[in-house]
Amino acid sequence: MKLFCNATILPHPFLPPTEAVLVDDHGRVAFVGKLNEINIPSHAEQVDLGGQTLIPAFNDAHIHIWKLGLLLTVQVDVREHGAVGFSSLVRILQAHAERSPEGWILGRGYDEATLAEGVHPTREVLDAVSPDRPLALTRICGHIMALNTRALQLANITANTPDPNGGIIDRDEHGNPSGIIRENAMALVNRVIPPITDAQLANAILATHQHQLRLGIVSATDPLVTPDHLRVYRQLEAEKRLLVRTNCLAVRRLDGGTETLPLPEKFVSEMLRVDSVKFFADGGLSGATAAIYGEYLDVGGQGILRYETADMLELMWEAHHNGYRIGTHAIGDRALDQVLTCYESLYARHSHAPRHRVEHFGLPLPEHIAMCQRMNVIAVMQTIFLPALGRNYRRYLNQSYLDRAYPARTLWDANITVALSSDAPVVPNDDPIAGMIAAVNRHDHNGQPIGENETLTVAEALWGYTLGGAIASGDEANFGSIEVGKWADFAVLNRNPLFIPTHELASVHVLQTYRAGECVYMR
């Protein structure tokens, strides 16, 4: 047994601090309260935290674990390398190509809004990296891809290639593919890129897990896994190598594909949960592909719906009536209409089913919020998008959309469960403290507020990054707060975020991380 003491212990953001936590030999909380209220066993190990602050470990309710891991291990991460224009982007990719001299050149993280040219890098730009090796560079949002000529050739994308359903192939003035493909069109390339090996995938998952432990994250949801990913996750779980408790959302249909992937075999253990499925209703807001009723500024258009409603409803029903949770990527108001209408139909046919989620919930209308209230739908939101992608939002969205982008306050006041998350690698900073700051001040890249009436308090933001994520994964009985019977998953902070001025939140950082009462990270 272990006794955690000499700390400000926050068992829950809305409960008063306490003095001690006793952890049993199985790694679960046996007591929370005042020191003088506990009968301390003689064999208990005392963990003196030196006056620091102990909180429930963070939960990132939506982070692409294996995708981030590939950037940490084998792919080029142009988010972090400071590409300010096409010339620097090309140099970064060339340097990576020299380090990895064979096969495809793969990377992620460009953002046309931050490049000096202000536009996507076309095939002519990327041909300067290598005219002979295929190159595929995914935009930071994950919904748009830039290709060089060789990659277009291998994918057989020509002037005669039609746009797939739910996807777009950008073309030049002569009708030839420019190298930019959007949404479901990415499947045309993904199918010819050699698959990563199980060993590479395992290394990627574990690299992200190590990274997360340093941030005080002990549980997370990986919101896009295929049968191949699940096979590796199950193997890592069987070998007891998983470092972060991971909830997997199994995708039903890959980008642009017509094949429906099977419902996953349900599996729940201490470290791995597989009982949810994932759908993509639309694209990304920062790349102007989320499906909206209005029209995007600068680039025009209304985004992309990736499913016919009848098709979506049929696939959702298979999962719903078999007791699977559903998480659906829906950002634009047009996509939210489609998804929530489908959810209402599901619950009308079979009301005794798990709570479903909406991933992102970017631009809801009042009627969407009312629908979520009626159905008890969970909103998995990313306030961290505001500082990371605010430049894009101001470029593409009119003021009425900006005012209601990611409306965390409105959802909270409507008693809708709000789980906060990063969606990394869409953003370069997946630190929950940074996400909390974004929820509290809602500042863009220039420090100017977006939807300033939608701020959360620090306590509400902390709830969203702890218990909110646990509820969203269906595991609130096991973690998310420090309560008797739950796992002793803790983060030790240098300061108490609830009792400092909000402008000092950036000074808060993780000193130690505990999983089941064992220290798994120390700064």
Side-chain angles (χ1 to χ4, degrees), residues 291-338:
I292 61 175
Y293 282 119
E295 185 160 316
Y296 286 106
L297 305 178
D298 192 39
V299 295
Q302 296 179 298
I304 299 171
L305 282 176
R306 295 173 63 161
Y307 274 89
E308 297 293 335
T309 300
D311 193 22
M312 172 181 282
L313 183 57
E314 180 181 356
L315 292 177
M316 282 185 173
W317 170 248
E318 181 187 10
H320 178 86
H321 89 278
N322 281 293
Y324 288 82
R325 292 176 176 81
I326 297 173
T328 307
H329 168 121
I331 297 179
D333 45 15
R334 192 157 57 105
L336 286 164
D337 245 3
Q338 181 188 51

Side-chain angles (χ1 to χ4, degrees), residues 58 213-217 431 433 491-494 508-513 521-523:
F58 290 119
L213 293 179
R214 293 193 290 271
L215 300 177
I217 298 169
D431 187 342
I433 300 296
V492 180
L493 307 180
N494 66 319
V508 178
H509 56 260
V510 172
L511 298 173
Q512 300 172 44
T513 304
Y521 166 75
M522 181 174 292
R523 183 172 175 143

Side-chain angles (χ1 to χ4, degrees), residues 4-43:
F4 289 79
C5 58
N6 190 18
T8 299
I9 298 172
L10 305 178
H12 185 291
F14 300 113
L15 292 177
T18 192
E19 296 177 347
V21 177
L22 185 66
V23 177
D24 67 22
D25 293 332
H26 302 289
R28 292 186 180 266
V29 175
F31 171 87
V32 184
K34 302 292 185 181
L35 267 173
N36 61 11
E37 297 173 345
I38 181 174
N39 182 19
I40 304 173
S42 59
H43 67 282

Side-chain angles (χ1 to χ4, degrees), residues 219-512:
S219 55
T221 290
D222 192 334
L224 195 168
V225 296
T226 68
D228 289 340
H229 302 132
L230 286 175
R231 181 180 66 251
V232 174
Y233 267 119
R234 289 289 300 271
Q235 184 63 35
L236 289 171
E237 192 277 340
E239 295 169 355
K240 301 188 182 303
R241 295 172 63 196
L242 291 176
L243 304 175
V244 169
R245 305 187 197 280
T246 303
N247 173 47
C248 293
L249 305 189
V251 68
R252 295 307 314 277
R253 191 171 288 172
L254 295 174
D255 287 337
T258 57
E259 177 191 4
T260 299
L261 299 177
L263 289 172
E265 178 186 354
K266 290 183 182 179
F267 178 85
V268 178
S269 72
E270 296 176 0
M271 295 300 296
L272 184 65
R273 188 177 192 99
V274 183
D275 62 358
S276 302
V277 297
K278 173 71 176 290
F279 293 87
F280 284 90
D282 64 347
L285 195 56
S286 71
T289 58
I292 61 175
Y293 282 119
E295 185 160 316
Y296 286 106
L297 305 178
D298 192 39
V299 295
Q302 296 179 298
I304 299 171
L305 282 176
R306 295 173 63 161
Y307 274 89
E308 297 293 335
T309 300
D311 193 22
M312 172 181 282
L313 183 57
E314 180 181 356
L315 292 177
M316 282 185 173
W317 170 248
E318 181 187 10
H320 178 86
H321 89 278
N322 281 293
Y324 288 82
R325 292 176 176 81
I326 297 173
T328 307
H329 168 121
I331 297 179
D333 45 15
R334 192 157 57 105
L336 286 164
D337 245 3
Q338 181 188 51
V339 171
L340 293 173
T341 299
C342 285
Y343 282 5
E344 281 199 322
S345 179
L346 297 176
Y347 283 118
R349 292 172 66 183
H350 179 60
S351 60
H352 300 293
R355 294 177 68 184
H356 299 323
R357 311 162 36 138
V358 173
E359 314 299 306
H360 311 303
F361 212 85
L363 296 171
L365 294 165
E367 53 264 38
H368 300 145
I369 294 168
M371 294 168 81
C372 285
Q373 286 178 307
R374 291 195 297 271
M375 294 182 286
N376 208 17
V377 167
I378 298 164
V380 181
M381 189 171 283
Q382 299 78 33
T383 52
I384 191 65
F385 284 176
L386 301 175
L389 304 170
R391 176 185 288 104
N392 305 67
Y393 299 163
R394 292 197 184 279
R395 177 178 178 178
Y396 296 134
L397 297 177
N398 63 39
Q399 192 61 48
S400 65
Y401 272 132
L402 285 173
D403 289 342
R404 58 183 172 90
Y406 301 96
R409 173 85 267 146
T410 298
L411 294 177
W412 186 276
D413 289 345
N415 293 318
I416 292 169
T417 299
V418 177
L420 295 179
S421 59
S422 69
D423 200 17
V426 170
V427 299
N429 186 358
D430 57 320
D431 187 342
I433 300 296
M436 288 173 57
I437 292 170
V440 170
N441 64 31
R442 296 186 61 91
H443 287 172
D444 68 8
H445 59 295
N446 285 326
Q448 299 301 309
I450 293 178
E452 57 190 336
N453 294 325
E454 295 294 344
T455 59
L456 295 180
T457 68
V458 177
E460 290 163 350
L462 179 58
W463 190 95
Y465 264 109
T466 52
L467 194 54
I471 293 170
S473 65
D475 242 335
E476 64 269 30
N478 288 307
F479 52 80
S481 58
I482 303 175
E483 297 181 66
V484 172
K486 292 191 177 186
W487 288 113
D489 295 347
F490 310 141
V492 180
L493 307 180
N494 66 319
R495 304 185 71 184
N496 182 346
L498 302 184
F499 288 89
I500 61 174
T502 56
H503 68 270
E504 295 182 15
L505 282 174
S507 69
V508 178
H509 56 260
V510 172
L511 298 173
Q512 300 172 44

Side-chain angles (χ1 to χ4, degrees), residues 68-69 72-73 202-212 214 243:
L68 177 58
L72 294 172
T73 54
N203 288 338
I205 290 169
L206 296 178
T208 296
H209 279 183
Q210 289 279 11
H211 162 79
Q212 291 181 302
R214 293 193 290 271
L243 304 175

Side-chain angles (χ1 to χ4, degrees), residues 110-116 118-119 139 286 389 391-392 395-396:
Y110 86 88
D111 183 352
E112 76 287 349
T114 65
L115 295 172
V119 295
R139 189 184 180 278
S286 71
L389 304 170
R391 176 185 288 104
N392 305 67
R395 177 178 178 178
Y396 296 134

